[in-house]
Amino acid sequence: MPVRKAEEKDIDAVAAIYEKILTEEENGMCSIGWKRGIYPTRKTAETALAQKDLFVLEEDGRILAAMRLNREQVPEYANVRWKYEASPERIMVMHTLVVDPDEKGRGCGGRMIRFYENYAYEQSCPHLRIDTNQKNTVARAMYRHLGYREAGITPCVFNGIEGVELVCLEKNLNANRKESG
């Protein structure tokens, strides 16, 4: 299952994944903290595509997962005490990782994270940052399992959603490669 840069033809599928997740949230089947019509929306995917930083996981012509990768740190990151300080050009940030709810349990999220880590390393960005809503215990557990450290939690209005407790996570690929290698 290759992860690749998204194309215009992928937008419908990515937007459909957002909608499925929002429906699950509204039905109490998950707790991510997103709000329909606010975040994420089709425009979220279109903006990422236009900036050439939307990536998708495809299998047999179907989009199973998507994420945005770039060096854009949200302003809220300034409120966090990061263990790994680095210049902005050495930091890669993952935004809006989504997996089609119909594909849960197949390892798609882990594959996306592995791609993120390899991509960041290839781009000379050994410092990784991710954020998620404090409510999103599933994502927090996955990130912890994959070696990400919670650097801090900051209250904010995030992507237009009020009352968010933003969990900021980090990983230093150089430190991890030295420890494992």
Side-chain angles (χ1 to χ4, degrees):
M1 278 189 268
V3 177
R4 60 170 174 77
K5 280 218 176 193
E7 301 170 14
E8 182 68 37
K9 67 181 175 77
D10 303 321
I11 294 297
D12 287 343
V14 173
I17 292 172
Y18 295 164
E19 291 300 312
K20 285 181 183 180
I21 292 169
L22 289 161
T23 298
E24 282 200 348
E25 176 105 16
E26 291 164 355
N27 293 333
M29 298 166 66
C30 68
S31 183
I32 295 172
W34 290 347
K35 302 280 184 212
R36 189 179 303 277
I38 299 176
Y39 184 84
T41 64
R42 180 182 184 87
K43 181 108 176 94
T44 304
E46 290 171 343
T47 299
L49 179 71
Q51 294 182 354
K52 298 183 182 354
D53 55 18
L54 182 64
F55 293 81
V56 294
L57 172 63
E58 181 181 24
E59 178 181 77
D60 298 327
R62 291 181 44 247
I63 302 303
L64 308 182
M67 67 184 159
R68 187 173 191 188
L69 302 178
N70 58 38
R71 291 178 174 89
E72 295 174 21
Q73 298 182 70
V74 295
E76 291 78 9
Y77 285 11
N79 301 333
V80 174
R81 291 183 52 159
W82 300 97
K83 179 178 179 181
Y84 305 112
E85 288 297 328
S87 58
E89 66 275 1
R90 304 262 302 151
I91 298 169
M92 184 68 64
V93 183
M94 182 182 68
H95 312 269
T96 323
L97 171 63
V98 293
V99 175
D100 186 324
D102 297 336
E103 304 300 328
K104 283 181 187 167
R106 294 192 53 212
C108 295
R111 279 181 234 154
M112 295 296 277
I113 297 290
R114 281 190 296 281
F115 177 87
Y116 163 47
E117 292 177 357
N118 290 329
Y119 178 81
Y121 193 76
E122 290 167 3
Q123 302 294 315
S124 299
C125 293
H127 302 279
L128 307 181
R129 293 188 177 168
I130 303 172
D131 57 72
T132 192
N133 194 312
Q134 186 176 24
K135 295 177 183 179
N136 194 343
T137 57
V138 172
R140 290 174 73 187
M142 178 182 72
Y143 297 141
R144 188 171 31 257
H145 175 75
L146 294 172
Y148 287 80
R149 169 191 175 277
E150 290 191 4
I153 299 175
T154 183
C156 62
V157 174
F158 195 69
N159 291 319
I161 301 171
E162 295 190 22
V164 171
E165 295 288 325
L166 191 68
V167 178
C168 298
L169 302 105
E170 67 182 332
K171 186 174 187 177
N172 180 325
L173 291 176
N174 288 337
N176 291 334
R177 288 177 194 270
K178 286 176 190 166
E179 291 167 10
S180 64

